[in-house]
Amino acid sequence: SMESKQLRMSLFTALCAFVSCVQGGFLIVNPAGAADVTVCPSGCDYTSIQAAINACGEGDTVFVGTPGRPDGAETYDENIALINGVSVVSEGDDATAAYDDPWSNHSTTAVERATLTIIRGSGSDSIVRIPGDATTDVTLDGFTIENSSVQDQFLIRVGGGSPGIKNNIIRNNTGSGHAGGIGLQGLGVEVSPVIENNLIHNVHGPGIGNGPKSYAIITDNEIWDCRGEQGPGIGLMGYACPSIENNIVFANARAGIGCYNAESGDGVTAEGGALTIPIIKGNTIYDNTEAGIRLSRSSGDTGTINATIGDSVTGNDIYGNKAGIRMDELTTATIENNDVHDNRIKSGLALFDVTSVTVDNNRIYDNEKAGMNLEGIESVTINNVKIYGNVQQGIRFFAGVGTASVKNSEVYENAACGIRNVGAGTLTIESTDVYSNGYCGINIDWPGSENSVSDCNIYGNIKSGIIVKTANSATITDSHINANGLGGIRNQCGNYFHIQDNRIYDNGMGGVETRYGVGAITQNSIYQNNIGGIAIKAPCTYEITGNAIYDNLRGGIHTGGDSADGAGYIGTVGDAHLTIRKNTVYRNGQNGYGGGIDVRHADGVICNNLVYENHKGGIRFGDYIDKIANNTVVGNGENDTGAGIVYDDLAGNVNDPASGCALDDIPIINNICANNEATGINVKICPGDCPVNRDYNLLSANFGWDANPGCSGPLWESNPCRRQQLTGCEPNSNEMFQDPLFVDKANDNYRLQTDSPAKNAGDDGTDMGAYGGSDPINP
């Protein structure tokens, strides 16, 4: 167990501090002032490394190995204990040679003298023990160290101090438990060795195990094939804060870098205070059975734990692991400038119950699940990140995320959604490109959440650009939403929904579709979508103002769908409450379905809009609209069908001629209706009377006005054989008619004389509405 090992190490440290230790059954006392010595099978000062160590004094070095190794590798069958002030170095220079691991078929390079100088232990203990008082001038340099089979014993055990361990090959520990490569035990005192340029492999436990109070510097090592339930490449347990940089860590049974056995609650601890783990950077971490990096708080621990993975200059390359980076129950996590990719089974980043997370300037791609899974995090900031090619979502916010933001990032080519909110209370997405994802760009599906999308480019996603299923609010502003396979924006939630100052175009279905909610759709450009511009499909309350809606293949603003009897609308006719004001709606219905404004299911007002050249009529309304005022409705319809302003009872589909009569004589005032293919105003009041509340409208050239008609009549009749400008109704006393100055349909040029403007004020106190005047076409 860890406790028994710590007790044994404590006894060892005490003995070494007393300047004597037991080795091979003999009591050996270190004499003072001995000279440097050599060790080799013959012709040197000693044939035993331990004997040479015991003959040295502080500042001396034991050189091991016959110069040049004429007979090949030399093996020293002993366990050794270093003493303070004495370094042990293999003879030779730092030339490298090929190194082939016979157990894993891995090939690399090693310092050649390490391959030629082997310390093989008896199997009953650590091969090398370094006392707790070892200082920085104590070095173990250039050996192959192997052969231990005892439970919880490392091949090299460091009880404290700050020795150097470098250029070694550390291998073949078959013991159980923590039977790893290098054990940094601490045992109540700080241990801070420099561990560099070692090969560590084929051990049963951590390659390098950092216990409590480890402040080791671990750099430029290659660590693989650490096995067993306690087998991370570089392990951290307890109050451990080593510096880990520029290592290659792969094919280990647990994490590449991380806690010994996080699943069992063995993690790092703050012990009620604060633990700050130095930046982990410059490492290549791949093909580990668990995460590339996994840091977890130990069960029951309290205090502050801070971890940083990568910095603004140097990150890590993490791939082929079960997950890329996983963190559990830490206080802060900063993840910067890493490549996290091609991780198997789990996500690139999996962060759970961390108080505060910052993810900056990373590339997270081609992972088997989501690029990022975030759960139980109070605050998360994601900035300048590229997330792409992941098998599930690019970023997924699970339950318990408090405040989250995604800024200045690219999220693309993920197999599911780019960004999915199924748990963040507040989500802000800003200045981010979300494109070519296999489902939708952004999916919001968390009750009570507040969501904001601004200054984003959302395009090329297989389904919708943005879909809002459940939320307390969603605000979408200043974004380009285009070329998505289905709709640009789809809203299915019943709460606040605001769309403003966006460009929404070229989507495979509608520009904006909303089924429920309260809110506003204002000042957007919505155009060239393959169904309608704005579709209202269920009960809701919306202000639709100041939009430019044009060149959509079906209706500009419409309720319901295309089929007979208003199908496609969920709810009772009249429970969509709309204010439609100051929109420019033109050239919609290009595939023959729908006109400019077709809101037969809705109540509300239609005022101050410019509606022109729509293929199936200008404004079409039903029984619940309250007022139609101050609109300019010009040049709508085709092939002698399509009125300017027309009532419809929903008996037919959107392409059928209008039918039925209105229940109420609503105000239809101060409108300009000109050059529409059919009637200028087509409204009758049940049981067939002409409306009285139809005043101060200007009508001209509806239903193909001809300067030389076949039979004579006043202008209001256009064709005096049929009263087509007002569908059989005679004008009210305040109705006005104008001769067209000219009509040139081939060049889309319709100009009206302006010497007889309408005189009455509109519903907002203006004369002739926002678009009354000389040239309502092509504003």
Side-chain angles (χ1 to χ4, degrees), residues 450-536:
E450 310 284 344
N451 302 272
S452 172
V453 179
S454 64
D455 193 29
C456 294
N457 294 310
I458 303 168
Y459 62 92
N461 300 288
I462 297 300
K463 293 192 175 181
S464 298
I466 301 174
I467 183 167
V468 182
K469 293 184 177 180
T470 57
N472 187 58
S473 71
T475 300
I476 303 163
T477 59
D478 297 299
S479 296
H480 286 206
I481 304 167
N482 63 287
N484 298 288
L486 296 181
I489 302 174
R490 295 182 64 199
N491 174 46
Q492 299 176 358
C493 77
N495 294 308
Y496 184 74
F497 187 56
H498 187 128
I499 305 173
Q500 182 172 340
D501 293 318
N502 302 283
R503 290 180 61 189
I504 306 168
Y505 59 98
D506 288 338
N507 295 289
M509 294 183 70
V512 177
E513 178 186 305
T514 183
R515 294 181 178 270
Y516 302 98
V518 176
I521 303 172
T522 65
Q523 297 177 334
N524 303 281
S525 293
I526 305 172
Y527 58 96
Q528 294 177 359
N529 298 289
N530 284 330
I531 298 187
I534 299 174
I536 308 296

Side-chain angles (χ1 to χ4, degrees), residues 516-749:
Y516 302 98
V518 176
I521 303 172
T522 65
Q523 297 177 334
N524 303 281
S525 293
I526 305 172
Y527 58 96
Q528 294 177 359
N529 298 289
N530 284 330
I531 298 187
I534 299 174
I536 308 296
K537 294 294 188 74
C540 58
T541 301
Y542 280 100
E543 293 266 354
I544 302 175
T545 60
N547 302 283
I549 305 168
Y550 59 97
D551 290 340
N552 299 288
L553 290 187
R554 297 190 182 179
I557 302 172
H558 66 94
T559 58
D562 302 323
S563 57
D565 301 318
Y569 184 82
I570 302 169
T572 303
V573 176
D575 58 10
H577 311 296
L578 306 178
T579 298
I580 302 173
R581 189 191 304 268
K582 295 186 179 181
N583 302 283
T584 304
V585 185
Y586 60 100
R587 293 200 303 263
N588 299 289
Q590 293 187 17
N591 67 352
Y593 280 93
I597 300 173
D598 185 346
V599 288
R600 295 176 290 167
H601 306 79
D603 74 5
V605 297
I606 304 171
C607 299
N608 296 88
N609 301 282
L610 173 57
V611 184
Y612 67 94
E613 293 184 3
N614 299 286
H615 285 244
K616 287 293 180 181
I619 298 174
R620 198 172 190 179
F621 68 100
D623 286 322
Y624 296 94
I625 291 294
D626 300 312
K627 180 189 291 187
I628 301 173
N630 293 15
N631 301 282
T632 298
V633 187
V634 179
N636 299 286
E638 60 184 359
N639 301 324
D640 296 331
T641 63
I645 299 173
V646 58
Y647 170 84
D648 186 81
D649 61 3
L650 283 173
N653 68 33
V654 295
N655 283 351
D656 290 341
S659 62
C661 55
L663 297 177
D664 297 308
D665 185 6
I666 66 169
I668 301 176
I669 56 174
N670 264 32
N671 301 285
I672 298 173
C673 298
N675 293 101
N676 298 291
E677 285 288 314
T679 307
I681 298 177
N682 181 357
V683 179
K684 289 193 175 180
I685 309 303
C686 295
D689 296 332
C690 289
V692 175
N693 258 341
R694 190 196 68 228
D695 289 314
Y696 301 105
N697 300 290
L698 173 63
L699 294 95
S700 177
N702 297 292
F703 213 98
W705 184 87
D706 188 347
N708 297 295
C711 47
S712 61
L715 286 174
W716 63 268
E717 292 181 322
S718 288
N719 183 340
C721 303
R722 294 184 296 172
R723 295 173 178 172
Q724 292 299 337
Q725 299 234 49
L726 294 170
T727 315
C729 289
E730 295 191 11
N732 295 339
S733 59
N734 293 319
E735 221 81 61
M736 286 168 289
F737 300 88
Q738 286 276 34
D739 289 322
L741 185 63
F742 58 84
V743 178
D744 182 4
K745 293 184 180 180
N747 295 310
D748 289 333
N749 197 345

Side-chain angles (χ1 to χ4, degrees), residues 387 394-395 406 409-414 416-420 429-443 453-462 464-466 479-484:
I387 303 176
I395 305 172
V406 182
S409 296
E410 290 185 63
V411 185
Y412 60 98
E413 295 179 1
N414 301 286
C417 292
I419 300 172
R420 187 180 183 199
I429 304 171
E430 181 180 345
S431 302
T432 291
D433 292 348
V434 185
Y435 60 94
S436 299
N437 295 287
Y439 187 69
C440 60
I442 299 172
N443 184 344
V453 179
S454 64
D455 193 29
C456 294
N457 294 310
I458 303 168
Y459 62 92
N461 300 288
I462 297 300
S464 298
I466 301 174
S479 296
H480 286 206
I481 304 167
N482 63 287
N484 298 288

Side-chain angles (χ1 to χ4, degrees), residues 106 108-109 140 156 164-170 182 184 193-201 207-208 210 216-224 233-234 243-250 252 256-257 281-286:
H106 174 63
T108 184
T109 59
L140 178 69
I156 299 174
I165 302 171
K166 63 181 183 178
N167 300 323
N168 302 288
I169 300 167
I170 303 165
I182 302 174
L184 310 177
V194 177
I195 302 172
E196 60 180 324
N197 200 36
N198 301 282
L199 305 182
I200 306 172
H201 67 97
I208 300 173
N210 294 273
I217 297 173
I218 301 170
T219 181
D220 295 302
N221 302 282
E222 194 167 341
I223 305 170
W224 72 97
I234 299 174
S243 172
I244 303 172
E245 297 184 16
N246 302 324
N247 302 280
I248 301 173
V249 188
F250 65 98
N252 299 292
I257 298 172
K281 64 182 181 178
N283 303 283
T284 301
I285 308 166
Y286 65 95

